[in-house]
Amino acid sequence: MIKIKNYIAERGFSVMLCGMLTAVVGVVGYMYFQSYPARFEKTPLPTVTVVLAFTGLAIYVIGRVSLAIQRNRARKRPPADDDE
């Protein structure tokens, strides 16, 4: 679990892009399956694509939060020593 947290913390932008790509694939797949309702009426594929889209959005949010945390860490530097 710690390895997963470290991976997400170090690669927030990559995780964010992966989530966005997953969400887009889910939305495009859903649009395709809805354009042929008679063919895919009795299959679980439209539901799977909706779940894929929401999963992609969740991954995107996780990557976005990780990226914000990375940027806040970069801004918080110790104050300069002005005693000289």
Side-chain angles (χ1 to χ4, degrees):
M1 189 68 174
I2 293 173
K3 288 183 180 180
I4 294 172
K5 286 182 184 179
N6 289 338
Y7 181 83
I8 291 173
E10 292 173 2
R11 295 171 181 89
F13 189 73
S14 299
V15 172
M16 189 176 72
L17 287 178
C18 180
M20 186 181 297
L21 181 65
T22 306
V24 167
V25 167
V27 169
V28 169
Y30 183 75
M31 289 185 337
Y32 175 76
F33 292 135
Q34 289 300 314
S35 64
Y36 301 106
R39 177 188 275 177
F40 299 107
E41 183 176 307
K42 297 182 181 184
T43 64
L45 292 176
T47 305
V48 169
T49 56
V50 170
V51 170
L52 187 66
F54 283 119
T55 303
L57 288 175
I59 293 171
Y60 173 80
V61 169
I62 290 170
R64 189 71 184 147
V65 168
S66 175
L67 196 62
I69 290 171
Q70 282 178 353
R71 289 184 180 167
N72 284 340
R73 284 183 191 166
R75 283 189 215 156
K76 292 182 181 179
R77 294 191 176 147
D81 189 18
D82 295 333
D83 291 340
E84 294 179 25

